[in-house]
């Protein structure tokens, strides 16, 4: 992944929050993260990437942000199950929207969703991993792109 | 009454569609969370219109378009997906889908897409 690729994911994240809520997110400068570094909030949605590109992309966010996003969409059941559902859907949308630029050779999986710390390593081996910090309202979240190709 | 089947693996998206649909005469008859469930509910409820996600477990949306239209070719299918590339939209249309709405979508965009689809289907 190069700078141009990361820009596509930054635009994807900016578009998501702005379009859905009308309240733009502040997407900060992406930075390289080490493989032993843990960047995980309360809920995480992971998308496996295959095809021309290999690895995974994950979106991780605090519970408060997920609950607020649910409410923004008119959802009244602000449950842990629905927080998991929405974090998976965001990961799916951010990865899927990136295909507008990267094309259908970016094969994406259905989201794998989890609450709390993962029991496995989320960063792909043999690839550089970048964190894209996202601030929306008072909440900080991150999109992590760990993809080679 | 026009019967609508909603197909998406996300319960949040299904409920958002349920809450958002304001098109007169449209009645949601079923909600499915994957392609196999969609085929089952499709046979049971005989819908006129389907909103269909593409990235789903069990049977994906492109396979599901073909499966549903093999049962009832005149069904109107609106693909509602995060997959924003042209090739996927073209493939969905090639398989018989009638419209494509990209996620994330607003209530207004959903209702406009459904209205447009119904008007095109009526012609």
């Amino acid at each position: 992944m190069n700078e141009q690729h990361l820009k596509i994911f930054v635009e994807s994240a900016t578009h998501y929050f702005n379009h859905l809520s009308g309240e733009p997110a502040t997407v900060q400068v992406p930075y390289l993260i080490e493989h032993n570094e843990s960047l995980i909030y309360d809920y995480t949605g992971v998308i496996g990437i295959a095809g021309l590109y290999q690895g995974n992309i994950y979106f991780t966010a605090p519970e408060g942000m997920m609950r607020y996003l649910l409410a923004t969409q008119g959802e009244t059941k602000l449950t842990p199950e629905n927080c998991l559902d929405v974090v998976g859907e965001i990961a799916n949308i951010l990865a899927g929207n990136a295909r507008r630029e990267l094309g259908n050779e970016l094969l994406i999986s259905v989201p794998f969703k989890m609450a709390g710390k993962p029991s496995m390593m989320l960063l792909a081996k043999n690839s550089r991993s970048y964190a894209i910090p996202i601030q929306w309202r008072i909440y900080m979240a991150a999109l992590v792109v760990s993809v080679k190709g | 009454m026009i019967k609508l089947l909603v197909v998406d693996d996300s319960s949040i998206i299904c409920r958002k569609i349920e809450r958002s649909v304001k098109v007169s005469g449209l009645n949601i008859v079923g909600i499915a969370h994957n392609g196999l469930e969609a085929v089952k509910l499709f046979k049971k409820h005989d819908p006129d219109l389907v909103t269909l996600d593409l990235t789903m477990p069990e049977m994906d949306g492109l396979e599901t378009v073909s499966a549903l239209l093999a049962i009832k070719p005149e069904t109107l299918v609106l693909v509602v997906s995060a997959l924003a590339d042209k090739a996927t939209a073209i493939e969905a249309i090639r398989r018989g889908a009638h419209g494509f709405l990209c996620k994330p979508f607003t209530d207004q965009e959903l209702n406009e897409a459904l209205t447009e689809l119904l008007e095109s289907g009526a012609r």
Side-chain angles (χ1 to χ4, degrees):
Chain A
M1 287 267 134
N2 57 33
E3 193 179 325
Q4 194 57 37
H5 290 128
L6 287 174
K7 196 176 165 199
I8 291 165
F9 288 100
V10 168
E11 284 167 1
S12 189
T14 306
H15 173 73
Y16 175 83
F17 287 95
N18 197 20
H19 194 74
L20 199 67
S21 68
E23 296 180 65
T26 304
V27 180
Q28 298 171 3
V29 179
Y31 63 91
L32 194 60
I33 54 174
E34 300 297 330
H35 277 240
N36 57 1
E37 192 177 336
S38 174
L39 180 54
I40 293 288
Y41 293 98
D42 300 328
Y43 292 96
T44 302
V46 186
I47 303 291
I49 303 292
L52 188 62
Y53 305 90
Q54 304 275 332
N56 62 54
I57 292 165
Y58 72 84
F59 176 75
T60 184
E63 184 168 15
M65 184 194 229
M66 294 298 89
R67 289 165 63 90
Y68 202 97
L69 266 172
L70 284 168
T72 297
Q73 296 179 69
E75 181 60 58
T76 54
K77 295 173 186 165
L78 310 181
T79 61
E81 291 75 22
N82 285 343
C83 287
L84 269 179
D85 191 315
V86 79
V87 83
E89 191 58 22
I90 294 170
N92 174 51
I93 290 172
L94 299 187
N97 283 189
R99 289 186 21 152
R100 184 177 285 122
E101 301 295 333
L102 298 176
N104 62 348
E105 286 169 327
L106 181 82
L107 301 181
I108 70 173
S109 72
V110 293
F112 170 73
K113 300 162 273 188
M114 62 192 159
K117 296 276 180 195
S119 55
M120 69 216 192
M121 178 52 71
L122 294 179
L123 303 178
K125 288 177 183 170
N126 306 320
S127 69
R128 287 184 164 196
S129 302
Y130 294 91
I132 303 172
I134 299 166
Q135 181 172 1
W136 183 69
R137 297 184 62 84
I138 60 168
Y139 307 107
M140 280 302 302
L143 177 66
V144 175
V145 180
S146 183
V147 175
K148 84 178 163 180
Chain B
M1 199 58 108
I2 300 157
K3 293 185 283 185
L4 169 64
L5 175 66
V6 177
V7 186
D8 199 301
D9 62 337
S10 163
S11 298
I12 294 300
I13 295 292
C14 291
R15 282 205 292 277
K16 179 179 163 72
I17 292 174
E18 271 187 294
R19 284 191 301 272
S20 305
V21 169
K22 303 280 187 246
V23 178
S24 172
L26 208 53
N27 182 34
I28 296 175
V29 293
I31 289 175
H33 296 294
N34 61 59
L36 294 178
E37 205 180 327
V39 172
K40 197 172 159 188
L41 289 181
F42 189 88
K43 288 175 178 168
K44 183 178 176 186
H45 296 295
D46 186 32
D48 308 293
L49 176 59
V50 178
T51 64
L52 181 64
D53 186 18
L54 292 183
T55 310
M56 295 187 295
E58 308 291 339
M59 180 195 279
D60 73 23
L62 289 175
E63 284 180 85
T64 308
V65 175
S66 303
L68 300 183
L69 294 179
I71 299 167
K72 185 180 169 188
E74 65 271 30
T75 311
L76 296 171
V77 177
L78 175 66
V79 171
V80 181
S81 173
L83 302 181
D85 59 289
K86 277 185 190 167
T88 300
I90 289 167
E91 178 60 16
I93 301 296
R94 192 188 70 76
R95 290 186 184 226
H98 301 79
F100 199 102
L101 177 63
C102 197
K103 294 178 183 174
F105 58 87
T106 62
D107 292 1
Q108 186 181 344
E109 287 166 339
L110 175 67
N111 283 295
E112 282 173 1
L114 288 170
T115 302
E116 194 177 314
L117 204 66
L118 289 169
E119 286 173 358
S120 70
R123 282 199 287 270

